[in-house]
Amino acid sequence: RRPDQPSKQSGAEGRERPQTARRHPAPGLVGKMATIGGSLSTAGDMGREQREQRVIERRRRLEEERKLRVFNAKQRTIGVDKQALEQQKIEGAAMRELEARRDAAFADRMLVTEQRVQLMERDVQRARKDATMSVQAYREQMQQKHMRKEWDLNDPLTLLKERPARDGDYDPLCGPSSLQKFGGEDLDYGNRTRKQQQQQAQWVVDQMAEKQAQIDNELELDRLYAERQGEIDERRAAMEEAEFESRATMNLAVRDYNQALTDAKREREAQRRTEDAVDAVEEIKYQLNSQLLAEDHVGDVSDDPNRPLKYAFKGMNPAQVRAIRNEQMRQAAERQAQRMKDKEEEEGWDLVQEAVRRNLIAGEREVFRRKQELARQTAEEQKRQADEARLRKEVLYKQVYAGAIDESFFLQFGTTSR
């Protein structure tokens, strides 16, 4: 028998006081749920609370069924109820199987999420490794020692490459005592000046090419990083959307279940009202057509005054009528108390549902606030990284790679005889 089906009872008491298996809210549950609006319940907490609630409801339902069996003399059995025990075993096995399937589903979901995160981290590490390898390759190819402009000052073979002490009769290193070169003569001035200009021009071209290659490399690295960041954002948005859809599906299922409970309860109340109306009509017909309304009491009493003759009984005395009237009033009072109790239970469940709704709204607001905070922190971090990159570029282009030539560079020539 399901919890939403009413118990079957016979007699006037069963029609007047139908027993139904109801779920009673635990003491203090309404206040507790109404005061946790600021906290955020996780999926694990909600699942544990639901399991505990189902266990409590099952125990209450079994207790109500046991009361019906014990207090009903027509249905009470002596000894162990084997059928009830078998039903309990079946329900326990079904509940354990449902919990195992739910736990397996959550474990699979967590495993898929972990695999996705590992793939994303692996892609980021691969991109960083490729960028580092490209920078190192550029350094090995385009930034070797012999390509530097100050290599002539650090060349270990400088002495081997220098001119000998005497290079022909017109060697400029020969002093006045050699009588081969006199003061004021400079036959190689034009060629030397032209070669210096060509060398300076070539240096400028090489520096411009190196700077342009470096700028292109940095732009390519920025583009790759932006693409990877965009892919990460898209994956994150897809995961958040999937989570939102699953939560919406769960809310719809809860709403449908509550609606089904409400419809079942409405049908039970309508059936009870119909049965009460039918009983009232039958009672009126019986009172109208019964011979009990006759006032002739002659011949309706046997030798025992407490045992009237059935075939000659015509009515009751005023004391018996008053006793029946008192019993009817007591039953009416009990029905009124039961209605008030049912009304209080309905109001309690309304408060519970309202507390759940407020708790869900507060949780959604907290998640939205955390997402906004995470987006703000991400924007600030990206802005800080952009500022640091801009400062590094300014230092490199304005200080490290400036390469300005002033008068001190030209004063180095003609200062030694070597």
Side-chain angles (χ1 to χ4, degrees):
R1 184 170 57 83
R2 296 193 301 271
D4 54 348
Q5 292 181 350
S7 301
K8 295 181 180 180
Q9 292 185 352
S10 59
E13 184 178 359
R15 291 191 299 268
E16 293 175 356
R17 298 175 58 188
Q19 300 292 331
T20 57
R22 296 181 178 271
R23 297 182 302 169
H24 299 278
L29 178 59
V30 177
K32 180 178 179 182
M33 299 186 66
T35 57
I36 59 173
S39 62
L40 178 61
S41 300
T42 60
D45 296 336
M46 293 298 292
R48 183 170 61 256
E49 291 178 0
Q50 292 176 0
R51 289 196 296 270
E52 294 176 356
Q53 185 66 21
R54 286 196 295 271
V55 170
I56 294 173
E57 292 177 358
R58 182 175 63 84
R59 291 179 178 176
R60 289 176 177 173
R61 186 176 67 252
L62 294 176
E63 181 64 21
E64 292 295 333
E65 293 176 358
R66 181 176 178 277
K67 289 180 180 179
L68 293 178
R69 292 194 301 270
V70 171
F71 296 141
N72 191 348
K74 295 182 178 181
Q75 296 182 358
R76 183 172 64 246
T77 58
I78 305 301
V80 179
D81 191 354
K82 184 176 181 182
Q83 183 178 2
L85 295 177
E86 293 294 333
Q87 183 66 22
Q88 291 179 1
K89 291 174 60 179
I90 294 173
E91 292 178 355
M95 184 175 298
R96 288 191 296 270
E97 183 180 1
L98 177 61
E99 294 296 334
R101 289 200 301 269
R102 184 179 291 108
D103 294 339
F106 279 113
D108 294 339
R109 182 65 178 274
M110 292 178 63
L111 182 60
V112 171
T113 304
E114 183 66 20
Q115 291 176 355
R116 290 181 180 177
V117 173
Q118 291 179 0
L119 290 175
M120 294 167 62
E121 292 179 353
R122 194 177 304 167
D123 294 339
V124 173
Q125 292 178 359
R126 187 182 298 111
R128 291 177 179 174
K129 182 179 179 181
D130 294 339
T132 304
M133 291 178 64
S134 62
V135 172
Q136 186 64 26
Y138 175 80
R139 290 174 178 173
E140 293 176 357
Q141 295 177 5
M142 306 301 295
Q143 294 182 352
Q144 299 181 7
K145 291 183 178 181
H146 66 277
M147 296 181 180
R148 299 176 181 176
K149 61 182 180 179
E150 66 274 6
W151 172 248
D152 55 344
L153 302 177
N154 301 324
D155 189 3
L157 302 178
T158 302
L159 297 177
L160 297 177
K161 295 178 181 180
E162 286 182 353
R163 297 176 59 187
R166 175 74 180 272
D167 189 9
D169 295 335
Y170 300 100
D171 188 1
L173 298 178
C174 295
S177 61
S178 64
L179 298 179
Q180 294 180 3
K181 184 177 180 182
F182 299 95
E185 293 183 353
D186 191 4
L187 302 178
D188 250 357
Y189 176 78
N191 294 332
R192 185 177 68 255
T193 305
R194 184 169 56 256
K195 289 181 181 179
Q196 289 176 357
Q197 292 176 355
Q198 293 176 358
Q199 187 178 13
Q200 291 178 1
Q202 185 63 33
W203 287 351
V204 172
V205 172
D206 294 342
Q207 289 178 358
M208 292 176 62
E210 291 178 359
K211 289 183 179 180
Q212 185 63 34
Q214 185 178 3
I215 292 174
D216 295 340
N217 188 19
E218 292 179 355
L219 292 176
E220 182 67 17
L221 292 177
D222 294 340
R223 185 184 64 80
L224 292 175
Y225 178 78
E227 291 179 356
R228 181 59 58 188
Q229 193 69 23
E231 293 177 359
I232 293 174
D233 294 339
E234 291 177 358
R235 293 183 182 180
R236 183 186 300 169
M239 294 174 66
E240 291 178 353
E241 183 177 0
E243 181 182 358
F244 178 77
E245 291 177 356
S246 63
R247 182 174 297 178
T249 303
M250 183 179 67
N251 293 335
L252 290 176
V254 172
R255 187 194 64 184
D256 296 339
Y257 178 73
N258 293 335
Q259 184 64 32
L261 291 179
T262 303
D263 297 339
K265 180 180 179 181
R266 189 180 296 111
E267 291 178 359
R268 292 196 303 270
E269 292 179 353
Q271 184 178 2
R272 185 182 63 184
R273 289 194 297 270
T274 303
E275 292 177 356
D276 293 342
V278 171
D279 293 342
V281 172
E282 291 179 357
E283 182 69 20
I284 293 173
K285 290 181 180 180
Y286 176 76
Q287 293 292 338
L288 292 176
N289 300 326
S290 177
Q291 296 180 357
L292 296 177
L293 299 177
E295 298 180 357
D296 188 4
H297 299 284
V298 178
D300 61 348
V301 179
S302 63
D303 295 336
D304 188 359
N306 295 324
R307 296 177 59 86
L309 298 177
K310 296 181 180 179
Y311 58 87
F313 183 74
K314 299 299 182 179
M316 295 180 294
N317 54 31
Q320 294 176 344
V321 172
R322 284 195 301 272
I324 293 174
R325 181 58 180 170
N326 293 333
E327 180 65 20
Q328 291 177 348
M329 292 178 63
R330 186 186 64 80
Q331 293 180 357
E334 290 181 355
R335 287 198 300 270
Q336 182 65 23
Q338 183 65 27
R339 292 193 187 96
M340 294 298 294
K341 183 178 180 181
D342 295 341
K343 183 177 179 181
E344 292 178 356
E345 290 180 357
E346 293 297 329
E347 292 177 354
W349 279 110
D350 292 340
L351 293 176
V352 170
Q353 293 179 355
E354 180 65 18
V356 171
R357 185 184 68 81
R358 293 181 179 178
N359 191 15
L360 291 176
I361 292 175
E364 293 178 355
R365 290 177 179 174
E366 181 66 17
V367 171
F368 181 72
R369 186 187 65 78
R370 291 185 178 179
K371 288 182 179 179
Q372 287 184 342
E373 182 66 19
L374 180 59
R376 185 184 63 79
Q377 294 178 359
T378 303
E380 292 178 355
E381 180 65 19
Q382 291 178 352
K383 182 179 179 182
R384 185 184 64 78
Q385 293 178 357
D387 294 338
E388 291 179 355
R390 180 175 55 77
L391 292 176
R392 286 197 300 271
K393 290 180 180 180
E394 290 180 357
V395 172
L396 289 175
Y397 294 152
K398 293 184 178 180
Q399 298 180 12
V400 179
Y401 300 139
I405 299 175
D406 53 5
E407 293 297 334
S408 62
F409 176 77
F410 297 100
L411 294 177
Q412 296 176 4
F413 297 98
T415 58
T416 179
S417 60
R418 300 290 295 189

